[in-house]
Amino acid sequence: MNPFIALSAAAMAALAVPGAAMAAPGTPSNTVKIPLVNDCGNGSINGECLSLDAIGTFAGVVKFRHKANGDLRLMFNIKSAPAGLSYQLEVFCGTSPARTDGVIGKLADAVKTDGNGTAVAGPFELPASDITAACGNAGIGHVQLVSIMGGSILSAAPVRLSA
């Protein structure tokens, strides 16, 4: 059993995400790279975490790739986040943290930054069936890395989670 799965039901209206390559179900897609930003905490624009809007200073990238069976693979390459923090990986349905329609999964201590605020983490995989069960067929969602102790949140813009 994948420890990354925590289901809740939700449905989303279809939303086109610029730059996100779409593939027919059962066909692997190209890798889509989405910027990861310092949404809250050190390096963020709003600093005090007043809104989670995936707007902030560049922290790195998250790579999304759909496998042939529709499962989603996530990889993180963090270049400038707060140093020495452990982050919980959270994947949500919805177009923004403010419009979350369901939690697909959470994985504690998934990503740890080194003394320079860098990290490479993954791959993390989400089964297609779990994405559909939580988000419906539209499958639009977003990821966040949340450091409970450090007050830092790294966010990515929405992307199509289902193939």
Side-chain angles (χ1 to χ4, degrees):
M1 180 71 176
N2 188 333
F4 189 59
I5 309 307
L7 295 177
S8 90
M12 288 295 302
L15 173 70
V17 178
M22 301 299 161
T27 304
S29 69
N30 293 327
T31 299
V32 176
K33 295 179 185 178
I34 304 291
L36 194 63
V37 299
N38 288 293
D39 212 1
C40 297
N42 293 346
S44 68
I45 290 174
N46 59 26
E48 296 180 19
C49 219
L50 300 175
S51 66
L52 295 174
D53 49 16
I55 297 173
T57 60
F58 178 79
V61 295
V62 57
K63 298 176 188 176
F64 297 83
R65 181 173 181 84
H66 292 102
K67 295 171 57 177
N69 64 359
D71 292 355
L72 180 65
R73 173 176 248 175
L74 301 170
M75 293 282 301
F76 292 87
N77 189 349
I78 299 172
K79 299 288 186 188
S80 57
L85 294 181
S86 292
Y87 289 89
Q88 174 173 291
L89 170 57
E90 299 178 353
V91 181
F92 299 95
C93 302
T95 57
S96 75
R99 294 190 174 104
T100 296
D101 293 330
V103 178
I104 299 172
K106 293 185 179 186
L107 180 60
D109 295 330
V111 179
K112 295 179 182 182
T113 57
D114 64 15
N116 296 317
T118 64
V120 175
F124 302 104
E125 293 192 9
L126 285 171
S129 58
D130 293 338
I131 295 168
T132 302
C135 301
N137 289 327
I140 300 300
H142 58 280
V143 300
Q144 291 181 169
L145 295 175
V146 179
S147 176
I148 306 301
M149 299 305 291
S152 173
I153 297 178
L154 309 178
S155 298
V159 68
R160 181 173 288 283
L161 299 177
S162 57

